[in-house]
Amino acid sequence: DGEGARAVPLAGHVGFDSMPDQLVNKSVNHGFCFNILCVGETGLGKSTLMDTLFNTKFEGEPTQHNQPGVTLKSNTYELQESNVRLKLTVVNTVGFGDQINKEDSYKSIVEFIDAQFEAYLQEELKIKRTLHSYHDTRIHACLYFIAPTGHSLKSLDLVTMKKLDSKVNIIPIIAKSDAISKSELAKFKIKITSELVSNGVQIYQFPTDDESVAEINSTMNSHLPFAVVGSTEEVKIGNKMVKARQYPWGTVQVENENHCDFVKLREMLIRVNMEDLREQTHTRHYELYRRCKLEEMGFKDTDPDSKPFSLQETYEAKRNEFMGELQKKEEEMRQMFVQRVKEKEAELKEAEKELHEKFDRLKKLHQDEKKKVEEKKKSLDDELNMFKQKKTAAELLQNQAQQAGGSTTLKRDKERKK
Amino acid sequence: LYFSFDYKFKNLEGYVGFANLPNQVYRKSVKRGFEFTLMVVGESGLGKSTLINSLFLTDLYSPEYPGPSHRIKKTVQVEQSKVLVKEGGVQLLLTIVDTPGFGDAVDNSNCWQPVIDYIDSKFEDYLNAESRVNRRQMPDSRVQCCLYFIAPSGHGLKPLDIEFMKRLHEKVNIIPLIAKADTMTPEECQQFKRQIMKEIQEHKIKIYEFPETDDEEEMKMIRKIKDRLPLAVVGSNTIIEVNGKRVRGRQYPWGVAEVENGEHCDFTILRNMLIRTHMQDLKDVTNNVHYENYRSRKLAAVTYNGVDNNKNKGQLTKSPLAQMEEERREHVSKMKKMEQEMEQVFEMKVKEKLQKLRDSEAELQRRHEQMKKNLEAQHRELEEKRRQHEEEKANWEAQQRILEQQKLDASR
């Protein structure tokens, strides 16, 4: 951004030309970090190639076939060459392509790559963050191992690379290329390249914008995909011990550029473009992931004409919206309960009402019955009274009759009555 | 998914090539170019512009672009000048921020406020740029160093000096300088320096500190510099010939005070430190410390708006998105719990009511049974009474019939 800046001449040596050195010293003191992901079917020599590239034996458990899904296993190593410290992480796909249904082969890989982006994003968004000392686990380079069939890319390869090309720098390599003859190899490379192009797969291009490396990078781009051979075995050639694979018909020398592209790979991946791979990952792939993630969560920049985007306002707005949502949910649940309570209460009231009605009816029946009984009682009492009267009247008459004459009958009555 | 991370230390046999990484970094940084923002603060007449011109060996301030002292300001302004300089293939975009009018008024209370506001606004710009969804190359206009000019009074710091530095030391790297050092003798200067450093310590002012380094040589040099703080400088726009050499200096009848002579002043130390050795560190400290402080304060205030910040201090290490996610999860479990509780209460109440209803029903039923029983008893009683009565009546009527018969028989 040289806006409004005028160029001025210097009257002597000021000394800011040491800035690149100051920066480099800082980086060297801090140490470097690089993460490689190796994708390829079992048996394509991924581990061997890593060992060969970094000239060491990385420990790893023997891989097995028939994995339930694709596992990713990563190992981190602290390497040092002269005064440069490198924290190298090598991630291997275990079981890639071994499944009967290969569709989910790339899913774990995509998820893994995204998970590293996510971890960085979370760190970047923290309020108290320590980006300076953060151990960057984002994948800087993905070496895609193509099986040396000599024909074409497998559909799994195309599908996987298509899924990965917007997330990681892909460097396709032909594995175990000593299985292919020179002429077949040339055709194979052309076929692969054209298939990648026709399927719109974006592989990593070695950068040509910097004059100091433009030429070599441009040449190397034309050699992709690199046909490699890996070996940690050493064979004596002449009076030197070199990394090689020995066959009855000859010895394949790993570092012989006529035999394979191993040296080219090493040059490009490590010696010339390692920093660019890291930079591209950060400024392109990570930014894309971040942008998509934020947009997914509803963040957006205001249009360039209006007031510039304010992080605070968006956070606040998001949070208010979010809290509002939660409160609404709470309120809804409460309302639902209030409704249920109302309904249940109405139900129970209805039941209560019915109960009372039932018993009111019974009560009424009772009362009717009672009334009847009382009436019966009354009529019986009346009868009894009448009878009593009748009896009394009759007895009176009899007494009168007896008193007039017939005391014997009275006696007899009396006796009979006894 | 199974991720496993193992750390191993490896020694490499043979050539790999990543020792070339520093060269790659070097190459890219040269291509990108560098930028640096330097602020100069001090009263008028302390030679700020002259010093800048001397430092960068250019007429940054010239008749066409006058320095702050030549501009008459009523109030303190903050102004910036941008120049592009190139040296040894390295390009530097240099922004000089000056504060004309600082400390020149009669009442200088709050004259630091425009400076604070300026620094904060640059932090704000960077924060906003960093927080965009669509981020582009972010131009960095944050103030990376503040040269604070102390007048060569020989006594100590002025209240304004102390006030300014206290308010700014947590926002920017402050390098205090004794201006116009050629007005003091070395002894006076030494004493003055000691007094100033004492006062700086007393007031707990944090001036820019050189980072520790493992290099023994470097540490020696750093300790030497530390002993000479604050640096006493002299600047000059004029080149004078001294003993056949052309030097920058100030001509006096009694001699020439040479800018770049280490025995005359600390200019060279300042230049070397500011430009040649610690420019990158000044930028890093600004980015990693001052900016991060600003950012975390700003975001904490927003995210926990209205909520007691002390309660949330432990949560500052979480990203706001993770914070919201956690709040969402908490809320979900809270809702679940609430739902369970409400459900429980509901069930209990319903059970209560049903029980009541059943009791009611039982009671009513009992009463109904009771009444029924009573009624039946009454019925039976009545029936019995009637039966008795009928029996009695039958007997009596039978008796009466006999009597009647007897009477009839007797009367014949």
Side-chain angles (χ1 to χ4, degrees), chain A residues 203-311:
Chain A
I203 58 171
Y204 175 72
Q205 293 295 303
F206 306 117
T208 51
D209 53 348
D210 188 338
E211 318 80 50
S212 47
V213 290
E215 205 184 311
I216 186 167
N217 276 347
S218 157
T219 311
M220 292 297 177
N221 276 328
S222 65
H223 284 282
L224 286 169
F226 292 139
V228 295
V229 172
S231 174
T232 45
E233 305 282 310
E234 296 205 320
V235 173
K236 193 160 182 156
I237 304 281
N239 57 347
K240 277 207 303 181
M241 292 298 284
V242 297
K243 290 190 276 266
R245 284 173 61 76
Q246 204 154 40
Y247 291 102
W249 49 89
T251 306
V252 180
Q253 294 157 42
V254 169
E255 282 166 298
N256 185 330
E257 289 198 64
N258 287 325
H259 291 192
C260 73
D261 298 331
F262 174 83
V263 170
K264 293 190 178 68
L265 175 65
R266 187 177 59 196
E267 276 295 292
M268 288 293 98
L269 178 67
I270 302 175
R271 212 180 156 267
V272 178
N273 298 300
M274 197 176 239
E275 180 59 22
D276 185 71
L277 285 159
R278 197 204 54 77
E279 202 177 274
Q280 289 290 319
T281 303
H282 180 63
T283 60
R284 204 149 56 85
H285 300 300
Y286 169 70
E287 281 302 310
L288 179 63
Y289 174 84
R290 177 183 175 277
R291 188 166 75 238
C292 292
K293 197 65 200 289
L294 291 183
E295 281 174 356
E296 211 178 276
M297 306 199 80
F299 287 89
K300 57 178 179 282
D301 300 327
T302 54
D303 55 273
D305 295 331
S306 62
K307 195 168 92 91
F309 170 82
S310 163
L311 175 78

Side-chain angles (χ1 to χ4, degrees), chain A residues 72 74 76 125-126 271 287, chain B residues 2 4 6 15 135 317 320:
Chain A
L72 286 106
S74 74
T76 302
L125 290 178
K126 277 188 195 168
R271 212 180 156 267
E287 281 302 310
Chain B
Y2 167 60
S4 92
D6 303 289
Y15 166 79
R135 300 197 288 202
T317 49

Side-chain angles (χ1 to χ4, degrees), chain A residues 330-345:
Chain A
E330 230 173 276
E331 202 39 49
E332 275 175 15
M333 190 169 87
R334 253 188 263 269
Q335 284 300 69
M336 186 193 70
F337 264 101
V338 165
Q339 190 60 24
R340 271 179 75 188
V341 166
K342 262 205 194 125
E343 285 174 8
K344 201 63 180 192
E345 266 182 358

